[in-house]
Amino acid sequence: MAERLDQPRESRRSFLPRPQADQDAAGRVSESIARFLGTPSFIFWLTIFCIVWLGWNAFGPEDLRFDKAANGFTALTLMLSLQASYAAPLILLAQNRQTDRDRVQAEQDRQRAERNLADTEFLAREMASVRIALNEVATRDFVRSELRNLLEELLAEQAEQADADEPAEPGAERPDGKPARAERKPERRRV
């Protein structure tokens, strides 16, 4: 079978099995250790440990000392270096996980802000359409003034109708000051 050039080669080093670790579990462990390394209680207990180590190896029984002061407490230096060499990567792992969480949180915040902006813009458009619609709606005062005008017109027409129905004497005036029309009597026609 011919090798495909558009795909990478498979790794042929399979003589050592790779350990499979749960990334999330390892991250949680590293974070818990890094959290403890950053606390005052860790500093306190490390100081107590170093004082006991130095006191035992400087003032303890000669035959029970395991780290000689003449050698500059080499074992203590080695222990502290080992602790520091493991602490630094653990702290970096914890920082990387925190950075990932911050990135996810920032993305969620950005999406929430976009939704809020879209909702705000929608509400602003709706408020504008309500304002436009309210400008076209008759207000209570407008309706009252129109009804008042119609009532005045009806009363005026009714008054005119009442004046027209009353028999008027020649030369009499109507209440509005205009001369009254004389009522015409129907004429009889002679046949």
Side-chain angles (χ1 to χ4, degrees), residues 53-55 57-58 67-78:
W53 185 291
L54 292 171
N57 288 304
D67 193 14
K68 306 289 184 201
N71 295 336
F73 300 107
T74 308
L76 178 63
T77 305
L78 180 64

Side-chain angles (χ1 to χ4, degrees), residues 107-176:
E107 179 64 23
Q108 290 173 347
D109 289 346
R110 186 188 63 78
Q111 290 172 351
R112 193 175 303 117
E114 284 178 357
R115 284 193 306 269
N116 288 343
L117 180 62
D119 290 345
T120 304
E121 289 175 350
F122 172 75
L123 290 175
R125 286 191 301 272
E126 288 298 311
M127 290 291 291
S129 67
V130 166
R131 284 185 183 143
I132 290 170
L134 283 178
N135 284 339
E136 295 172 0
V137 171
T139 62
R140 181 178 59 201
D141 294 335
F142 175 75
V143 171
R144 283 183 179 167
S145 67
E146 290 296 312
L147 288 174
R148 194 174 302 118
N149 291 340
L150 284 173
L151 182 62
E152 289 172 1
E153 286 177 17
L154 285 172
L155 290 175
E157 284 180 16
Q158 189 178 16
E160 285 179 12
Q161 188 68 26
D163 287 345
D165 289 345
E166 286 182 12
E169 297 176 15
E173 289 186 5
R174 294 190 323 199
D176 59 358

Side-chain angles (χ1 to χ4, degrees), residues 35-55:
R35 257 189 229 111
F36 177 68
L37 291 176
T39 61
S41 63
F42 172 75
I43 301 293
F44 173 76
W45 290 113
L46 183 63
T47 304
I48 296 297
F49 174 78
C50 290
I51 289 171
V52 169
W53 185 291
L54 292 171

Side-chain angles (χ1 to χ4, degrees), residues 93-111:
L93 280 172
Q95 285 178 344
N96 288 342
R97 282 177 55 90
Q98 185 62 43
T99 302
D100 291 342
R101 278 195 299 270
D102 290 345
R103 187 177 303 119
V104 168
Q105 183 67 37
E107 179 64 23
Q108 290 173 347
D109 289 346
R110 186 188 63 78
Q111 290 172 351

